[in-house]
Amino acid sequence: MRSTILTWATGFLVGWASLAANAEKFQHLADTPAMGWNSWNTFDCNVDESMIREMADAMVESGMKAAGYEYINIDDCWHGERDVKGNIQVNKERFPSGMKALADYVHQRGLKLGIYSDAGNTTCAGYPGSRGYEYQDARTYAEWGIDYLKYDWCDTENINPIGAYTTMRDALKRAGRPILFSICEWGDNQPWSWAQDVGHSWRVSGDIYPCWDCELSWGSWSSWGVLKILDMRADERLRQYAGPGHWNDYDMLEVGNGMTEAQDRSHFTLWAMLNSPLIAGNDLRNMSDATRDILTNRDIIALNQDVLGVQAMKYLHQGELMIYVKPLEGGDWAFMFLNRGDTPLSYTHDWAHHFEVKDDQFGHHINFHDQQFTWRRLWRDGEGDTSKPLRLKLAAHDVAVLRLSPVR
Ligand code: GLA
């Protein structure tokens, strides 16, 4: 009798411990923001296995992999039906070799494969969602060798977002394969305030569109230009929630998708400074040199991937000029000067006048009276120090970025 009770108690404890172990996300999958590519911005629903394979090849050949990009993510529309047991299948016409073979192909190139699902009954494009199938789908993704899950928020009326995303987090953990969990809930329910332990990043806005400051209405929802997304989440408190392992996601990149070079440069710099995941959304097989140079700029990527993981803060907004600053590892700082306006801008920044920078949220401060810095310009040549005012000429919608290092 006693031994039965003991066995029962041990079984209970082991069971409880293993359940408790599942009640967390996988750690260290996004100590710095994820970098990769996603099909949606260019291909919409037109995804198939040969295109995805070509994209993996292009990520290697273009130098993007060497610059740090890792994930090849298939967005909506890869799905077929569920089989009689409820297992989700791929669309067999588009993915005749199956998802496992595709994951193998991507892995053989030293890259990782991402997939997309939805917390509701159907995805945004109307394919089967994961509602009620969370554990089963997570197991399927793990069996296929998936490394990243973007989890959308369509068709979720009356569903509690914290519950829905936590269920999928636990399902992924239970399935046992480390899968980065990318929450795509558009910022509707302030995910920054609850998702730190649920996902590795959370979207803060509706969908991006490749324009500088436009809103494109689709009736009940809109797509947003770069400045619109920036301004929508101008609340400086958002940055306090982001850090290693959990990032604000300002949506996938539109670099190379029709904006001007200056706009692309500013968009990329902003997303890097904000510690957003850098998920390219252009056709990597046919990009211009200018697009490739932007996407692979190592100095800018280094700001995004800086191990301190502190999101940039707005330092000044004066007319069309915005200055963002970002504390970096080792006492360095990034300063970004952005011309939002449609005409060129001349600006002189006097460090002696703007002598104080205070990041109270993360406890990083500069006093230029007490501490001199040297600076190096990113995107183009240029060096100097903070003993003399900085004169800048910024083209319309363009950016100047400095990396400051303390003089010891
Ligand atoms: C939503 C998401 C987009 C994309 C589409 C796919 O709109 O926000 O990023 O995944 O669904 O249908």
Side-chain angles (χ1 to χ4, degrees):
M1 175 66 183
R2 213 170 132 208
S3 77
T4 319
I5 291 174
L6 257 182
T7 316
W8 178 86
T10 316
F12 175 79
L13 280 174
V14 169
W16 182 83
S18 77
L19 267 184
N22 290 320
E24 60 168 9
K25 67 182 188 186
F26 280 102
Q27 301 298 326
H28 301 301
L29 294 185
D31 287 345
T32 59
M35 293 177 67
W37 172 88
N38 173 295
S39 54
W40 184 254
N41 286 355
T42 294
F43 296 93
D44 211 278
C45 265
N46 299 312
V47 288
D48 62 61
E49 63 179 38
S50 57
M51 182 272 277
I52 297 294
R53 283 198 294 255
E54 285 168 21
M55 222 51 79
D57 292 344
M59 185 173 274
V60 177
E61 282 154 19
S62 62
M64 285 187 61
K65 179 185 173 210
Y69 293 84
E70 191 177 18
Y71 292 98
I72 295 285
N73 293 346
I74 312 167
D75 208 278
D76 209 342
C77 310
W78 57 266
H79 318 69
E81 300 289 314
R82 292 190 181 278
D83 70 10
V84 284
K85 292 185 179 146
N87 294 316
I88 187 70
Q89 322 259 327
V90 293
N91 175 321
K92 294 201 170 69
E93 266 134 55
R94 292 170 181 273
F95 294 87
S97 318
M99 207 51 94
K100 173 103 185 63
L102 191 52
D104 289 347
Y105 186 94
V106 169
H107 292 154
Q108 276 153 17
R109 276 143 194 82
L111 300 170
K112 294 179 171 170
L113 186 67
I115 213 168
Y116 162 103
S117 189
D118 188 288
N121 293 319
T122 54
T123 71
C124 295
Y127 291 92
S130 289
R131 183 179 183 186
Y133 294 90
E134 292 88 349
Y135 282 74
Q136 194 170 355
D137 285 355
R139 264 200 313 276
T140 303
Y141 304 154
E143 279 159 19
W144 284 345
I146 298 297
D147 306 292
Y148 182 118
L149 174 66
K150 170 175 169 180
Y151 204 49
D152 216 337
W153 191 236
C154 275
D155 199 8
T156 51
E157 233 168 89
N158 300 323
I159 300 184
N160 174 317
I162 306 180
Y165 281 97
T166 304
T167 300
M168 193 41 130
R169 174 202 70 180
D170 292 348
L172 291 170
K173 192 78 197 318
R174 187 62 172 264
R177 181 179 173 86
I179 294 181
L180 189 154
F181 191 32
S182 159
I183 295 175
C184 178
E185 172 275 0
W186 319 313
D188 285 5
N189 299 277
Q190 295 77 47
W192 43 88
S193 67
W194 51 261
Q196 276 188 345
D197 296 327
V198 181
H200 299 93
S201 61
W202 48 83
R203 281 270 297 275
V204 297
S205 72
D207 291 2
I208 195 169
Y209 193 76
C211 63
W212 185 239
D213 196 17
C214 72
E215 175 183 349
L216 193 73
S217 171
W218 302 94
S220 58
W221 58 284
S222 291
S223 301
W224 309 95
V226 167
L227 288 188
K228 285 280 188 288
I229 291 183
L230 186 68
D231 294 344
M232 191 187 301
R233 297 302 175 208
D235 185 340
E236 284 291 302
R237 283 170 303 184
L238 242 74
R239 63 192 288 273
Q240 83 195 38
Y241 300 105
H246 42 91
W247 309 102
N248 288 309
D249 176 356
Y250 288 76
D251 203 359
M252 302 166 303
L253 295 165
E254 292 284 16
V255 175
N257 283 344
M259 288 192 287
T260 68
E261 211 178 304
Q263 291 168 344
D264 275 355
R265 197 166 26 246
S266 298
H267 167 39
F268 191 67
T269 310
L270 276 165
W271 267 228
M273 292 282 286
L274 295 168
N275 284 347
S276 181
L278 297 180
I279 307 291
N282 58 314
D283 188 342
L284 305 181
R285 300 168 304 183
N286 322 293
M287 50 182 162
S288 67
D289 290 349
T291 295
R292 197 192 46 232
D293 290 349
I294 290 173
L295 288 172
T296 58
N297 186 303
R298 294 188 185 227
D299 291 333
I300 303 299
I301 291 172
L303 306 181
N304 180 262
Q305 297 290 303
D306 185 83
V307 295
L308 207 57
V310 176
Q311 180 173 330
M313 65 174 204
K314 189 163 41 184
Y315 179 57
L316 187 134
H317 188 176
Q318 193 179 288
E320 299 293 8
L321 176 78
M322 268 183 149
I323 305 178
Y324 276 85
V325 299
K326 184 180 199 294
L328 301 168
E329 194 204 11
D332 280 13
W333 288 72
F335 269 65
M336 183 192 112
F337 301 83
L338 172 72
N339 178 6
R340 299 168 56 107
D342 301 337
T343 53
L345 185 88
S346 295
Y347 172 67
T348 299
H349 189 75
D350 187 353
W351 310 97
H353 176 67
H354 296 287
F355 65 93
E356 228 180 6
V357 182
K358 284 176 106 180
D359 174 5
D360 288 335
Q361 286 186 28
F362 290 97
H364 298 282
H365 301 127
I366 309 180
N367 184 325
F368 287 112
H369 288 329
D370 301 339
Q371 172 71 62
Q372 199 181 319
F373 287 77
T374 55
W375 54 255
R376 185 167 65 83
R377 234 170 124 170
L378 313 183
W379 290 122
R380 49 168 264 194
D381 293 338
E383 284 178 359
D385 64 52
T386 53
S387 67
K388 295 174 285 300
L390 165 78
R391 284 175 216 296
L392 289 172
K393 279 194 188 340
L394 293 169
H397 305 168
D398 212 343
V399 78
V401 190
L402 307 185
R403 184 170 180 131
L404 274 63
S405 302
V407 176
R408 312 250 177 221

